């Protein structure tokens, strides 16, 4: 399906994968559920269309359509930064065994 902008039609789909730091199995079902809601909310805010979201204990898959006016690195930075900050605050006790540094530390890597 093609989407329309003011002067173009596009279908720019990206498969973005995050892994946890050191590939640790830190994403519990509660964290995955919260992460799903966060990702959908941020994507809606950035005018992205989510095609699919998938998660395992050590990684996240996001298949999304990004408009051509938004740089992909910017979108990835916003998604990673916001989710890491919120997840670290809300699940600090659960993540402490895996990531013992302060909240400014991001538990995500991108491949």
């Amino acid at each position: 399906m093609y989407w329309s902008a003011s002067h173009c039609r596009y279908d720019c789909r990206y498969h973005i994968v995050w892994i946890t730091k050191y590939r640790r199995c830190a994403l519990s079902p509660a964290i995955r559920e919260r992460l799903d809601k966060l990702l959908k909310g941020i994507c809606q805010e950035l005018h992205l269309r989510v095609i699919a979201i998938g998660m395992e204990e050590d990684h996240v898959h996001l298949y999304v359509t990004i408009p051509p006016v938004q740089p992909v690195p910017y979108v990835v930075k916003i998604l990673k930064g916001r989710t890491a900050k919120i997840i670290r605050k809300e699940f600090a006790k659960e993540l402490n065994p895996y990531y013992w540094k302060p909240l400014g530390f991001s538990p995500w890597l991108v491949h």
Side-chain angles (χ1 to χ4, degrees), residues 12-68:
C12 304
R13 297 180 182 199
Y14 298 92
H15 181 199
I16 303 166
V17 180
W18 285 270
I19 63 169
T20 56
K21 185 83 170 184
Y22 308 120
R23 196 114 183 164
R24 293 190 173 142
C25 296
L27 301 178
S28 67
I31 293 174
R32 283 184 267 175
E33 184 178 326
R34 179 67 174 130
L35 195 53
D36 185 74
K37 290 178 186 175
L38 285 172
L39 287 171
K40 287 178 181 174
I42 295 168
C43 286
Q44 184 177 13
E45 189 179 310
L46 294 174
H47 305 291
L48 312 178
R49 289 173 183 85
V50 176
I51 299 166
I53 296 177
M55 293 180 225
E56 298 279 333
E57 291 178 335
D58 63 350
H59 66 279
V60 177
H61 291 266
L62 178 64
Y63 191 44
V64 65
T65 299
I66 300 175

Side-chain angles (χ1 to χ4, degrees), residues 67-82:
V69 296
Q70 291 189 347
V72 177
Y74 169 78
V75 170
V76 172
K77 180 182 99 172
I78 295 296
L79 290 168
K80 281 181 56 182
R82 288 189 192 172

